[in-house]
Amino acid sequence: MAVHAIKVSDVARLALTAWRRRPRNAAIPLSWPAAHPASRGGGPFGQGGTHPHPPVRGEHPHVPRPPRSAADLTRLVASQTIYYGAASVDLTLTSLAGLRLAPTPLLATLPLTLITGFGLLASLAAGLLTARYGYRAVMAMNGGCAVVGGLLSMTAVYADAFWLLCLATSLLGAYRSTGGYIRYLAADLAPDGRKERSLSIVMYGGLIAAFLGPFAAPAASRAFAIEFVGSYALVALLGLAAVPLALTVSREPRAAASPAGASVGGEDEAAGPATFREGRGNPNFVTALVLLPLSGALMTLVMAIGPLASVHAHHSAELGAALIQWHLVGMFAPALISGELMRRIGPWHTSLTGIGITLLGGVAGASGDGAAAMMTAMICAGVGWNFTYLAGTAFLVRSYATGRGSRLQAVVEGATGAVSVVASLLSATAFDTLGWRMSSVLVLAVGGPLLAWQRRYGRRNATAADVLDLSVASARPVAEA
């Protein structure tokens, strides 16, 4: 009996000592892990009587994480809505404003070209700045660019100053550079197993903007006596709303170390962002670098040619507007199901599905320039882009450990922007030279080899891609705000 009393007192004393010495972020375990290595052997708590370390937050399956992800994701959806809303106003009105203010019609599209060009350069810079200052600071700074750009655009239209409009649209292009990074932040903040779902939810912002944009822009334009002033005031207000949304995201992703053997040459480069040298050896990154630029180029080509073809085929202006609106709906409405679909079938099959839908639209466009054929082609181009965009982003997210992807994101965003700019610039020439039907054949000529490459590359590298999925590897807790 005396021996038994001594053992019970030892248990109480050791337990009290362990509790007092626990880490600050330790949580009380709901059940003691029976298979803990220290529990084996003799003594009160295993071999040598050593007390196993109490599980800390995040190590025990019964300890939930703080419920911040939903609020952050809501802010990011709102940020994405603001981005696409401002972008729709810019794309719709800037060419018209340039035509009104330009000293010669040859310069009418210069403001729009500056939006695209500065957006491309700023997308590269945004990735590098994100590595140094974080997503929130860069997103807030570019929201400020939208505010200043919108106000300068209002002044330029009011004062009939073309070159001031060019300066203003350059700043608006800088704001556009952060749109692609919103989804990367959502993926980095998502719990393991929900990154793909978070990517698709963020795209709801584009769907909201697609429905509200056609009503908000004309209403804002009528708010002032001078045309376009109200629309650019709306852009400034949207940029102003983007700043607090960015700054109130609760945390930044913190760089996590890659698993052993994942780094090129076995080097530990966890101190900084993943490099291109690391990424090029990962099939996930290679797939994203091919899939995102080419799918974006095909979508841009069809979107740019569609309205021109509608006018050339003597369709009504209402049909031309409907083509763009349903194309936008096709780009973003599948987000309601594409995330869950990708969770079930994986990004490889999702990307093949997206390319197949794009090819189906090419076949419809090549069949004729009737209203049904053109509407089918435009919708399929949008839906196919949604699937390939989501799958390509999932591949990119898998190519780096949480919080280490800024440089790889900059490479892919820069490549995607450059290819899309080329496709946009060549779209008018392609339509003038080939016409609508042969331009659709061009979609087949690019999409067919892309589908074949994706299937072959996936079969050869799917296993390696799964092994080198770094999105859940060695994840560390995120930094607090």
Side-chain angles (χ1 to χ4, degrees):
M1 293 296 295
V3 174
H4 178 71
I6 291 172
K7 285 188 175 182
V8 171
S9 64
D10 286 345
V11 170
R13 178 174 54 82
L14 291 171
L16 182 59
T17 302
W19 170 256
R20 289 173 175 173
R21 295 179 179 178
R22 75 192 190 282
R24 290 182 181 271
N25 63 341
I28 302 176
L30 302 182
S31 61
W32 199 261
H36 197 284
S39 66
R40 304 191 185 103
F45 288 99
Q47 188 171 358
T50 303
H51 190 293
H53 195 289
V56 298
R57 185 179 298 276
E59 293 180 348
H60 197 279
H62 297 289
V63 180
R65 292 185 176 183
R68 297 171 176 166
S69 297
D72 287 337
L73 191 57
T74 301
R75 293 185 182 96
L76 294 176
V77 171
S79 298
Q80 194 78 84
T81 303
I82 287 172
Y83 165 77
Y84 279 114
S88 65
V89 174
D90 293 336
L91 293 175
T92 303
L93 302 179
T94 299
S95 293
L96 298 176
L99 181 62
R100 173 183 162 184
L101 301 181
T104 170
L106 296 176
L107 296 176
T109 59
L110 180 59
L112 183 60
T113 303
L114 290 173
I115 289 180
T116 306
F118 272 83
L120 172 59
L121 296 176
S123 66
L124 296 171
L128 303 178
L129 291 173
T130 296
R132 183 173 181 85
Y133 300 106
Y135 288 96
R136 293 179 295 184
V138 174
M139 289 167 57
M141 179 182 66
N142 281 11
C145 289
V147 174
V148 177
L151 293 176
L152 288 179
S153 296
M154 293 174 59
T155 305
V157 173
Y158 183 81
D160 199 16
F162 176 75
W163 297 111
L164 182 59
L165 179 66
C166 292
L167 175 62
T169 53
S170 300
L171 293 172
L172 294 176
Y175 170 65
R176 288 187 59 191
S177 68
T178 57
Y181 290 90
I182 296 173
R183 70 191 197 273
Y184 299 134
L185 178 57
D188 274 354
L189 295 181
D192 292 343
R194 290 191 59 84
K195 293 184 181 293
E196 288 84 356
R197 180 62 176 163
S198 295
L199 290 173
S200 65
I201 290 175
V202 165
M203 295 185 70
Y204 291 176
L207 179 62
I208 298 171
F211 279 108
L212 295 182
F215 303 99
S221 182
R222 292 190 296 268
F224 291 82
I226 301 176
E227 191 179 13
F228 307 129
V229 171
S231 299
Y232 285 120
L234 176 62
V235 172
L237 290 175
L238 291 174
L240 184 63
V243 175
L245 285 173
L247 295 178
T248 53
V249 173
S250 67
R251 58 202 190 275
E252 287 277 354
R254 182 178 293 173
S258 299
S263 297
V264 177
E267 300 176 4
D268 182 11
E269 301 185 40
T275 63
F276 180 75
R277 184 166 62 91
E278 290 181 89
R280 67 184 182 185
N282 192 319
N284 293 298
F285 176 72
V286 175
T287 303
L289 188 57
V290 173
L291 190 62
L292 287 172
L294 289 182
S295 61
L298 292 176
M299 184 275 295
T300 301
L301 182 69
V302 176
M303 181 175 64
I305 290 179
L308 300 177
S310 176
V311 173
H312 188 267
H314 305 291
H315 294 304
S316 64
E318 290 76 12
L319 178 62
L323 289 176
I324 292 296
Q325 185 169 11
W326 282 103
H327 173 74
L328 293 175
V329 171
M331 288 174 63
F332 300 109
L336 299 172
I337 62 169
S338 55
E340 178 64 20
L341 179 65
M342 186 167 65
R343 189 186 68 81
R344 292 176 180 271
I345 68 176
W348 291 104
H349 290 94
T350 304
S351 62
L352 294 175
T353 302
I355 299 172
I357 294 174
T358 301
L359 291 175
L360 180 63
V363 172
S367 66
D369 58 2
M374 296 186 67
M375 184 66 74
T376 301
M378 296 290 285
I379 293 175
C380 286
V383 175
W385 174 84
N386 179 281
F387 280 82
T388 52
Y389 183 79
L390 187 62
T393 303
F395 282 121
L396 180 57
V397 168
R398 293 181 175 194
S399 68
Y400 54 83
T402 299
R404 298 190 62 216
S406 56
R407 291 182 182 174
L408 299 183
Q409 294 164 7
V411 171
V412 173
E413 288 295 302
T416 303
V419 175
S420 296
V421 168
V422 172
S424 179
L425 293 175
L426 294 181
S427 59
T429 302
F431 176 72
D432 186 60
T433 305
L434 302 175
W436 164 255
R437 299 179 69 172
M438 290 305 298
S439 296
S440 299
V441 173
L442 181 61
V443 172
L444 300 176
V446 176
L450 177 60
L451 178 65
W453 179 87
Q454 183 74 350
R455 290 187 61 186
R456 182 180 179 184
Y457 192 78
R459 288 175 180 174
R460 293 173 55 187
N461 297 279
T463 302
D466 289 338
V467 171
L468 292 176
D469 180 359
L470 309 182
S471 61
V472 296
S474 304
R476 294 167 55 189
V478 294
E480 297 296 334

